[in-house]
Amino acid sequence: MADPKVKRVLMSVTDKTGIVEFARALVRDFGAQIISTGGTARVIQEAGIPVTPIDEVTKFPEMMDGRVKTLHPVAKRDNPEHMAQAAEHGIEMIDMVVVNLYAFEKTVESGADFGTCIENIDIGGPSMLRSAAKNFASVAVVTDPNSYGAILAEMKANDGATTLATRTKLALRVFQTTNAYDGAIATWLSGQLGEDGTENAAALPETYDLHLVKQQGLRYGENPHQKGLFFGKFGEMFEQLHGK
C-alpha cells in the first residue's frame, strides 16, 4: 500500500509548543483538515487557522471536564471489509494524530493534592496514541513538538505523505511514552497506599517501574569491543567527574 497523504489531522495537546505553526503549515502547504479538541482547538482557531471541533466529527458532545472526548475506529485501509464498514457508517479516515498527555508527573512534583493528581491522569490521550500507533501502517502519530519540523520536511519531500519508516519509529515512541506514563501513575498511586510513611508491608510497593531516557552514546561498553549507552539524568542522578 502506498504511503497515504496527510489529509485529516487530529490534534489534542497539553504542551502547545509549536502547535499553531505546525497546524498552519499542514493547512497551508498540504491542504489538510485540522480536527481538534477543547483548548487546542481554541488556540488554533484564535490564530486564524480553520479547525473542525471534534464533536462535529464524533456527533457526541465533549463533557465531564473532558473525560468524554474522542474515540475513533482503527481501520485497516488495505482491508476491503474494514473500508466498506467505514463507508457504510460515514467514517472518514484520519491520517495523523498529534497528541501529548496531561502533565501528570509535573503535577505530582508540584505537591498537588490527591484529587488534583487524579484529575491529571490522562484518559483519552493514551487511548488515541495507542490506537493510532497500532495503525502505524497508515497513520502517523506525533507526541513530541520537537519532531514537527522534521515531519513537515518529510511530507514536502514525499508529496504530502509520511514514510512507513517514520511512522514505525513514531509508533515505537508512543509505546515508550505510554509505558513511562502508566509506570509513573502506578508508582505514585502505590506510594499513596502507605498510611504511616514507615517501611511496613502496607507502604512498600509490589512493583517498581524504572524508566530512564538515553542521554548519550559511549565510546565503548564494559570492554572496547562492546557498545555502551548512558541512561539517566546528569545533575539529578549522576555527576560527571572527568573524561568524555
Side-chain angles (χ1 to χ4, degrees):
M1 185 176 69
D3 292 320
K5 293 184 179 181
V6 176
K7 292 299 183 184
R8 299 179 87 224
V9 180
L10 174 61
M11 293 184 166
S12 180
V13 294
T14 298
D15 181 357
K16 296 177 176 57
T17 304
I19 194 64
V20 168
E21 293 78 11
F22 191 39
R24 180 177 288 116
L26 288 168
V27 172
R28 179 192 63 213
D29 299 338
F30 303 102
Q33 175 192 10
I34 306 296
I35 303 165
S36 190
T37 64
T40 305
R42 284 192 295 273
V43 168
I44 296 171
Q45 189 174 41
E46 288 170 1
I49 302 167
V51 58
T52 302
I54 189 65
D55 56 4
E56 289 187 14
V57 176
T58 62
K59 307 302 181 185
F60 200 88
E62 183 177 328
M63 63 176 70
M64 300 177 187
D65 297 321
R67 285 175 176 241
V68 177
K69 190 179 293 185
T70 312
L71 291 173
H72 197 275
V74 184
K76 287 186 175 181
R77 299 192 190 184
D78 58 353
N79 185 317
E81 185 176 348
H82 282 201
M83 299 308 291
Q85 290 173 354
E88 178 184 354
H89 295 282
I91 298 171
E92 296 182 69
M93 297 297 102
I94 290 175
D95 309 301
M96 180 180 288
V97 171
V98 184
V99 171
N100 51 61
L101 305 175
Y102 292 173
F104 174 78
E105 290 178 274
K106 288 184 179 179
T107 302
V108 171
E109 290 170 2
S110 73
D113 60 36
F114 184 86
T116 301
C117 291
I118 290 294
E119 287 307 312
N120 278 274
I121 295 176
D122 208 324
I123 301 171
S127 299
M128 287 189 287
L129 288 177
R130 287 173 60 84
S131 60
K134 179 177 179 176
N135 210 23
F136 68 86
S138 52
V139 179
V141 53
V142 186
T143 61
D144 184 359
N146 292 321
S147 64
Y148 294 165
I151 290 169
L152 290 172
E154 178 171 278
M155 289 173 61
K156 288 180 180 177
N158 200 39
D159 194 27
T162 56
T163 64
L164 178 59
T166 292
R167 295 194 300 275
T168 306
K169 291 177 183 177
L170 291 172
L172 172 59
R173 179 60 178 156
V174 163
F175 292 115
Q176 291 171 335
T177 298
T178 56
N179 174 55
Y181 195 77
D182 286 340
I185 295 168
T187 298
W188 170 78
L189 191 55
S190 177
Q192 301 301 302
L193 298 179
E195 295 180 355
D196 57 9
T198 61
E199 291 189 359
N200 57 34
L204 294 175
E206 293 294 323
T207 62
Y208 186 83
D209 291 295
L210 186 63
H211 182 80
L212 300 175
V213 178
K214 184 181 80 173
Q215 295 296 311
Q216 67 179 55
L218 301 177
R219 296 171 69 190
Y220 49 80
E222 189 170 348
N223 297 294
H225 68 283
Q226 296 172 321
K227 293 182 179 181
L229 300 172
F230 184 90
F231 292 84
K233 295 181 180 179
F234 285 119
E236 256 183 60
M237 303 175 70
F238 301 97
E239 177 185 358
Q240 184 173 355
L241 299 179
H242 59 79
K244 294 183 179 179

